[in-house]
Amino acid sequence: MTRRRLPLGLRARATVAFGLIGLFAAVVLAVTTYFVARSYLLDQREQSAERQGFANARLARSALRSTGVDVAGLVTTIRGESGSEIVVRSGEAWYASSVAIGRDDIPVELRNVIREGHAGRELIRTPKGGLQLVVGTPIAAVDAAYFEVFSLNEFERTLSLLRNTLLVGAIVTSAAAALVGRYAAGRVVGPLAPIATAAARIAEGDLETRLPPHHDRDLAPLTEGFNTMAASLQERIEREARFASDVSHELRSPLAALRAATEVMDRRRSHLPNNVSPALDVLTSRVQAFEELVLDLLEISRFDAHAVTPDFEELNLKTFVRQVLAANGASEVAVVIADHAPDTFTADRRRLAQAFGNIIRNGAKYAGGVTGVTVRGDEEEVEFLIDDAGPGIDPSERVSIFQRFARGDAGRRAGTASGTGLGLALATAQVELHGGRLEVDDAPTGGARFIVRLPRTPPT
Ligand code: ADP
């Protein structure tokens, strides 16, 4: 199955969304501010330039009215006082305050407007890229025109500073908005973490898990909904477990009666016709297998219903192993107790013996019998290694054979009469009741090695 690539998480999406919203708002604000400020400053500058230009034009007019005036000297004088460049047309002659400026620097349209007798102004961009404002005033009485050219470099510097400030402001604002988004998403996602943890615990089988009530008005329905769901799930699972347990229980009496009847028939076998005997054998073995299945189901359903109360006691390791082997017809099997293994451990004798019994009987069924049991351990843990010299268990089956009704290759080959696939599932539940684990590996001698790992004292 190909895994779908997960899109961005909520936090990342909120960070990006807030960042973009912040950037958009900051850009709109910055652009508006920039253009409003630019138009206001330019307006101010134009008005002051115009005032100055008209005042100087009046000065020039009075000078030009007097006869024999030195126009070149006049423009230089005015320039020295105002700091801007001056261009004066007197008749057809042009005079400028410096060599850097002249008639050609005055835009033709402005010149024409002035010739028509109107005052005017125009913004121009010089070939070098500087911005200039040209203010023109006609001096009709002496057929002259006065132009004053103001440099707007200072204005442009101010605008450039404003632009940079707004740009930095926009970047800082959107970064701050992204951080706010991340924080807000964190606050929203934060309360979901306990829900995920609780869901994981339920999935692991802890059906009692519930969330504490939430006081937040928006989150309370979520926790309530989760708790309701968990409760109904628990009730359903327990009901199903009870059902299996009830059915198994109900089957016990008729089965016991059936077994008693087959025993009676077996005792009277000599009175039965010869051709009934094989059928009686089949009936007897099937009734026995059915009874074992029902007993296993009953035990498993008790685990499912959490109705198992372990009866822990201190056991002698070596005695326990020997007794279990003897009870399952394997008393001759060699038992090796490692040097540092403890003498005793704590367990539910009956249930652990049942788990070992299933493993040992499987050894007899599928592997020609158990060949050895090794016990290792320390103060914390004990480990039982149960080896056989059979075909071993294929790595692909090493997880599945512990599941309910799962049969492996050996089981299938041995046929349905050899088992139902519940033995190792039950053994696993019994070992886990002790806080332990049941696994399978290869035995050094080639067969299967079942490993039962238990804490020396089960957790309470
Ligand atoms: P069952 O014996 O009823 O099939 P179990 O749960 O006891 O059920 O075992 C599951 C499967 O594990 C068996 O069907 C068999 O294939 C495999 N198995 C168990 N023990 C051994 C063993 N010692 N050697 C080989 N295969 C085994």
Side-chain angles (χ1 to χ4, degrees):
M1 204 177 74
T2 52
R3 267 182 74 114
R4 205 162 60 86
R5 271 190 57 165
L6 287 176
L8 285 182
L10 182 61
R11 265 183 224 223
R13 276 183 287 147
T15 308
V16 172
F18 271 67
L20 288 178
I21 292 170
L23 184 66
F24 176 74
V27 166
V28 168
L29 194 70
V31 169
T32 316
T33 309
Y34 176 77
F35 283 106
V36 169
R38 183 180 189 278
S39 125
Y40 175 77
L41 290 176
L42 189 59
D43 213 42
Q44 295 289 306
R45 184 73 185 96
E46 282 182 347
Q47 280 178 19
S48 78
E50 210 167 54
R51 270 196 303 276
Q52 183 183 328
F54 290 161
N56 286 339
R58 273 198 297 277
L59 221 67
R61 187 178 57 190
S62 358
L64 287 170
R65 275 187 174 162
S66 32
T67 46
V69 67
D70 169 17
V71 184
L74 173 72
V75 291
T76 322
T77 318
I78 298 177
R79 179 186 185 247
E81 283 166 14
S82 64
S84 41
E85 298 288 355
I86 315 292
V87 179
V88 169
R89 177 182 63 76
S90 177
E92 288 313 312
W94 288 82
Y95 303 89
S97 58
S98 81
V99 284
I101 194 135
R103 187 187 83 121
D104 294 340
D105 295 300
I106 309 301
V108 179
E109 306 86 65
L110 186 63
R111 275 188 255 157
N112 292 340
V113 169
I114 305 301
R115 270 199 197 283
E116 284 161 17
H118 307 292
R121 68 178 185 220
E122 192 166 331
L123 269 179
I124 53 165
R125 182 72 61 196
T126 63
K128 283 188 183 162
L131 191 64
Q132 290 182 334
L133 175 67
V134 187
V135 177
T137 315
I139 309 176
V142 287
D143 184 24
Y146 176 87
F147 298 95
E148 191 159 343
V149 182
F150 297 87
S151 159
L152 296 189
N153 285 350
E154 190 57 36
F155 163 77
E156 287 213 295
R157 265 198 296 280
T158 309
L159 275 190
S160 151
L161 182 69
L162 179 68
R163 221 172 21 237
N164 291 343
T165 310
L166 289 173
L167 184 71
V168 171
I171 292 169
V172 170
T173 308
S174 39
L179 284 179
V180 169
R182 191 169 177 76
Y183 173 76
R187 298 274 303 181
V188 171
V189 176
L192 299 181
I195 299 181
T197 314
R201 285 181 57 188
I202 290 178
E204 280 164 14
D206 185 358
L207 298 176
E208 302 282 339
T209 307
R210 296 291 182 276
L211 290 168
H214 221 292
H215 300 301
D216 185 301
R217 218 191 309 171
D218 296 319
L219 292 173
L222 194 64
T223 49
E224 276 166 24
F226 181 89
N227 286 345
T228 312
M229 180 205 71
S232 69
L233 192 72
Q234 182 180 16
E235 198 201 302
R236 195 169 165 172
I237 289 175
E238 286 176 356
R239 200 171 49 222
E240 280 169 13
R242 268 200 309 277
F243 176 73
S245 154
D246 291 348
V247 169
S248 316
H249 203 268
E250 290 302 315
L251 282 173
R252 281 180 76 184
S253 321
L255 265 173
L258 216 57
R259 182 162 44 85
T262 54
E263 279 167 8
V264 171
M265 282 160 81
D266 197 35
R267 278 202 297 277
R268 307 228 170 135
R269 196 182 273 266
S270 53
H271 301 285
L272 296 173
N274 276 349
N275 55 359
V276 175
S277 216
L280 180 60
D281 288 341
V282 171
L283 185 64
T284 309
S285 77
R286 285 297 154 127
V287 167
Q288 192 190 345
F290 196 14
E291 216 175 2
E292 279 167 15
L293 169 69
V294 168
L295 286 178
D296 284 354
L297 269 178
L298 198 58
E299 184 73 2
I300 279 197
S301 58
R302 280 203 201 102
F303 276 100
D304 288 348
H306 301 286
V308 174
T309 320
D311 192 7
F312 291 131
E313 59 184 301
E314 187 159 28
L315 302 174
N316 181 286
L317 254 179
K318 193 168 187 173
T319 315
F320 174 76
V321 174
R322 282 254 148 256
Q323 282 173 349
V324 165
L325 284 169
N328 291 284
S331 41
E332 75 293 347
V333 168
V335 178
V336 177
I337 310 271
D339 280 351
H340 300 292
D343 289 337
T344 59
F345 73 119
T346 303
D348 179 323
R349 180 198 295 271
R350 186 180 72 79
R351 293 205 167 84
L352 197 60
Q354 219 174 1
F356 275 78
N358 286 349
I359 297 169
I360 295 165
R361 284 197 303 280
N362 275 351
K365 277 195 288 184
Y366 305 121
V370 169
T371 52
V373 177
T374 309
V375 185
R376 301 193 289 220
D378 53 29
E379 288 306 306
E380 301 293 317
E381 200 182 62
V382 280
E383 196 175 60
F384 303 85
L385 314 174
I386 304 150
D387 294 348
D388 63 45
I393 291 174
D394 191 80
S396 64
E397 290 185 349
R398 286 182 189 175
V399 172
S400 62
I401 54 165
F402 295 100
Q403 284 161 6
R404 291 173 192 187
F405 299 109
R407 309 209 67 203
D409 198 33
R412 280 190 295 272
R413 266 190 277 115
T416 46
S418 67
T420 52
L422 277 180
L424 290 179
L426 190 56
T428 304
Q430 280 155 335
V431 169
E432 284 176 355
L433 182 73
H434 291 77
R437 269 183 303 144
L438 172 58
E439 289 165 8
V440 69
D441 204 344
D442 290 323
T445 46
R449 163 173 280 184
F450 282 87
I451 306 163
V452 178
R453 264 191 211 102
L454 300 176
R456 219 184 132 214
T457 310
T460 43

